[in-house]
Amino acid sequence: MTPNNVLLSITILLSLVYKSSAIYCFYCNSANNSACINPNELNPDVRGLIIPIIDCDKAVPRVNEYAFFCRKIVQTIYHPHKDSELRVTRGCGWVRHEKDCYRADNRDHMETVCQCFTDHCNSADSVNSTTATFLFVALAICLYFYRE
């Protein structure tokens, strides 16, 4: 096996592993922090001062061994006698859903819940880990076969 083949094999294997011992997530609720609605509109230096970032392993009490991840919940809350309200919540999650994003439509609210698995990934819509891995592997294969 040539050194290039070994490097490609290691790169592909490492791209499939994304578990880490700690994950850092944005932690906010737009009910009391309007910047939580879209943190990416803020300058990164300002965003760090306005929206807390927490280490899920330290912030959430552990009863069992959880594999923490970041979560973003967008809710439209329907009020009977006034306009509906948009609320965004960002934080840590520990019970995974089978889908990275899913919707729930209830009588009094509709919500979209997304989970992601890298630091600060709950700041906005992002590419899920499966898509990112596929793109990375495709790029590595293209570079391998089309090198000069």
Side-chain angles (χ1 to χ4, degrees), residues 93-109:
W94 53 90
V95 178
R96 287 185 63 173
H97 193 273
E98 60 197 33
K99 297 178 182 177
D100 285 344
C101 289
Y102 63 93
R103 292 180 68 153
D105 193 359
N106 298 303
R107 187 170 47 100
D108 60 348
H109 74 281

Side-chain angles (χ1 to χ4, degrees), residues 78-84:
Y78 305 118
H79 298 289
H81 302 293
K82 61 181 183 176
D83 291 338
S84 59

Side-chain angles (χ1 to χ4, degrees), residues 39-49:
N40 287 335
E41 288 182 350
L42 300 171
N43 175 310
D45 296 331
V46 173
R47 180 176 52 217
L49 298 172

Side-chain angles (χ1 to χ4, degrees), residues 28-31 36-37 72-75 86-90:
C28 60
N29 187 326
S30 65
C36 192
I37 292 175
K72 174 184 167 187
I73 302 170
V74 178
Q75 294 179 314
L86 175 70
R87 185 169 299 164
V88 178
T89 307
R90 300 170 195 276

Side-chain angles (χ1 to χ4, degrees), residues 17-25 67-72 91 93-101 114-122 126-130:
V17 178
Y18 60 89
K19 185 177 179 180
S20 64
S21 61
I23 187 165
Y24 295 86
C25 302
F68 289 108
F69 54 89
C70 296
R71 177 182 288 151
K72 174 184 167 187
W94 53 90
V95 178
R96 287 185 63 173
H97 193 273
E98 60 197 33
K99 297 178 182 177
D100 285 344
C101 289
C114 291
Q115 57 194 18
C116 56
F117 308 94
T118 58
D119 289 343
H120 315 118
C121 62
N122 64 342
S126 62
V127 177
N128 68 40
S129 60
T130 305

Side-chain angles (χ1 to χ4, degrees), residues 9 28 41 53 57 68 72 75 83 88 110 112 131 135 139 144:
S9 298
C28 60
E41 288 182 350
I53 296 172
D57 286 328
F68 289 108
K72 174 184 167 187
Q75 294 179 314
D83 291 338
V88 178
M110 179 179 65
T112 301
T131 303
L135 292 174
L139 176 64
Y144 177 75

Side-chain angles (χ1 to χ4, degrees), residues 2 16 31 34 43 55 59-60 63 66 96 119 141 144:
T2 67
L16 298 175
S34 62
N43 175 310
D55 177 350
V60 179
V63 176
Y66 296 120
R96 287 185 63 173
D119 289 343
I141 290 169
Y144 177 75

